[in-house]
Amino acid sequence: MIMNEIKCINCISGLSDNVFCLLSVSVIRKTCQCMKDVMDHATDKVLENALANGMDLMSYVTQFQWDQARYPTAVPLTSLADMISKEISQVEAELKTQTAAYNNVKSKHHVLLILNKEDLIVSEYLTTVLVVVTKANYLLWERTYESMSEFVVPRSSRKLYEDQEGGVFSVTLFKKNLSEFKSKAQHNKFIVREYSYDLEEQMQEETKQLSVHKKEQYGVYVRWLKMSFSQAFIAWIHLKALRVFVESVLRYGLPVNYQAFLLQTDKKRSKKLRKELASLFVHLDPTATASKKDVNCDIPGLLQQEYFSYISFQISTNVLDYSY
């Protein structure tokens, strides 16, 4: 029975290092980056919203208690790891959906603000459409848009708007070939939008409606980012706690007899602290050295680059570190 438990713990340890840990930190980084982008990198606003259970990150970490309701310890370790993994994966999937929805409304609004009636050629035979193209597909667009239909006006593509995700291009073609153009554009993952402003008032009204919709979507998006950042950070800290347990059992064996604690320091005092800890716990593993290794885990500020006689993981609570 003990051997089976050791094998299970060994499996969890490997998965945590290679999958769960990297996935959770990746989602935290992406969520925080989206928060920075939507708040125009206003540091004070980001810090106000990047919380865990309503607390700043340092307070949450220093007051951490295992959430039994969320992650019941009565279940096997593999189940706990799966719970965290599924929770993080769900946040990652929803992040893509929520970000796409907000960016869609934002780009529509920006396009209408910069779009002039003169930009749209609409006649008995011709029409102008707007096409959303991701930055990664800019070159593909330039190479293919004229061949998506037999009657696309040569060199009619113009970039009207651009953000971090991509741009909006206008292109003019014959109306009778619009369906063919849209079909081929969709095949290349371009999004075609048709605009036909017969009246200036219609254009102004749509701009007004999109402005209201953008404000509403902004509120929804920010609330979701705040909730999801908290969810991801909490899951990640629980994963850290789980790893401390797993690594301790693997290193020191059963029965479990260890104490976990937090030490807060800074760069100036960290070297002295490491020396004190090495002296205090050298008996746990006399073969341990402080030689640096190329061990990749987590993100800058969260790397375990040295092997110690004790189990050690670093945690950064500076939300401004969570960026690309």
Side-chain angles (χ1 to χ4, degrees):
M1 180 65 180
I2 292 179
M3 184 59 68
N4 289 337
E5 289 181 7
I6 292 293
K7 287 182 179 179
C8 176
I9 288 175
N10 191 37
C11 175
I12 293 294
S13 175
L15 287 174
S16 296
D17 282 333
N18 297 324
V19 181
F20 301 151
C21 188
L22 296 177
L23 175 62
S24 58
V25 173
S26 175
V27 173
I28 291 173
R29 291 175 65 180
K30 291 176 182 177
T31 306
C32 190
Q33 188 63 48
C34 289
M35 196 179 292
K36 290 177 181 179
D37 292 341
V38 77
M39 295 176 182
D40 296 324
H41 293 260
T43 301
D44 55 340
K45 291 184 179 180
V46 173
L47 293 175
E48 287 176 5
N49 288 276
L51 306 174
N53 264 1
M55 297 185 282
D56 64 84
L57 304 187
M58 178 60 76
S59 297
Y60 177 80
V61 171
T62 55
Q63 300 174 35
F64 172 77
Q65 291 184 338
W66 188 273
D67 191 338
Q68 287 282 358
R70 198 169 190 169
Y71 309 114
T73 54
V75 304
L77 290 177
T78 51
S79 297
L80 279 176
D82 285 342
M83 286 180 190
I84 296 175
S85 175
K86 290 177 180 177
E87 187 173 2
I88 293 296
S89 296
Q90 183 178 355
V91 172
E92 184 179 37
E94 291 179 358
L95 176 62
K96 295 178 181 178
T97 302
Q98 293 285 344
T99 301
Y102 176 74
N103 286 337
N104 181 47
V105 173
K106 184 177 71 171
S107 65
K108 282 184 177 180
H109 182 249
H110 279 298
V111 168
L112 284 178
L113 288 176
I114 64 172
L115 191 63
N116 296 315
K117 206 170 182 180
E118 293 74 20
D119 293 321
L120 301 175
I121 299 175
V122 180
S123 67
E124 183 179 355
Y125 300 105
L126 294 175
T127 186
T128 299
V129 295
L130 304 182
V131 184
V132 180
V133 183
T134 61
K135 284 189 174 181
N137 287 329
Y138 275 8
L139 186 58
L140 178 62
W141 166 255
E142 293 295 338
R143 287 177 176 175
T144 62
Y145 82 89
E146 290 184 3
S147 62
M148 290 182 194
S149 172
E150 183 180 358
F151 295 102
V152 174
V153 177
R155 299 182 181 179
S156 61
S157 174
R158 292 178 53 212
K159 184 167 65 177
L160 302 179
Y161 169 76
E162 184 178 45
D163 60 18
Q164 294 181 342
E165 301 296 325
V168 178
F169 294 78
S170 64
V171 62
T172 303
L173 68 154
F174 277 72
K175 289 181 177 179
K176 65 179 182 179
N177 296 97
L178 182 56
S179 296
E180 178 189 7
F181 181 87
K182 291 173 66 175
S183 177
K184 290 185 178 180
Q186 185 177 8
H187 178 74
N188 288 327
K189 297 183 179 179
F190 303 138
I191 302 173
V192 179
R193 295 175 181 157
E194 297 180 58
Y195 283 89
S196 177
Y197 295 122
D198 299 326
L199 299 173
E200 186 69 23
E201 293 77 9
Q202 181 181 345
M203 185 175 178
Q204 292 176 355
E205 181 62 25
E206 186 164 351
T207 303
K208 182 179 179 181
Q209 291 177 358
L210 273 175
S211 179
V212 174
H213 187 30
K214 182 189 172 185
K215 290 180 181 179
E216 294 173 348
Q217 192 67 31
Y218 175 87
V220 171
Y221 187 47
V222 168
R223 286 192 295 272
W224 184 90
L225 287 173
K226 183 176 181 179
M227 177 190 69
S228 296
F229 179 87
S230 175
Q231 185 178 358
F233 187 84
I234 289 171
W236 178 60
I237 296 301
H238 278 78
L239 178 58
K240 283 287 188 182
L242 184 61
R243 290 185 66 198
V244 169
F245 172 79
V246 169
E247 297 295 339
S248 298
V249 173
L250 288 175
R251 180 86 69 89
Y252 308 121
L254 297 171
V256 174
N257 183 21
Y258 70 89
Q259 177 65 47
F261 53 90
L262 291 167
L263 292 175
Q264 181 182 356
T265 185
D266 52 36
K267 290 183 178 180
K268 293 181 179 179
R269 294 178 291 180
S270 60
K271 189 173 182 180
K272 181 179 179 181
L273 177 61
R274 287 295 187 191
K275 288 183 179 179
E276 293 292 338
L277 292 174
S279 174
L280 184 62
F281 297 115
V282 65
H283 64 283
L284 296 176
D285 188 352
T287 64
T289 63
S291 59
K292 291 187 178 180
K293 297 182 178 181
D294 295 326
V295 180
N296 293 319
C297 179
D298 295 6
I299 61 177
L302 307 171
L303 297 179
Q304 184 179 354
Q305 296 180 321
E306 298 175 327
Y307 177 80
F308 307 103
S309 58
Y310 50 90
I311 306 300
S312 176
F313 294 107
Q314 296 183 20
I315 299 173
S316 173
T317 56
N318 183 1
V319 69
L320 301 180
D321 287 343
Y322 301 129
S323 59
Y324 291 99

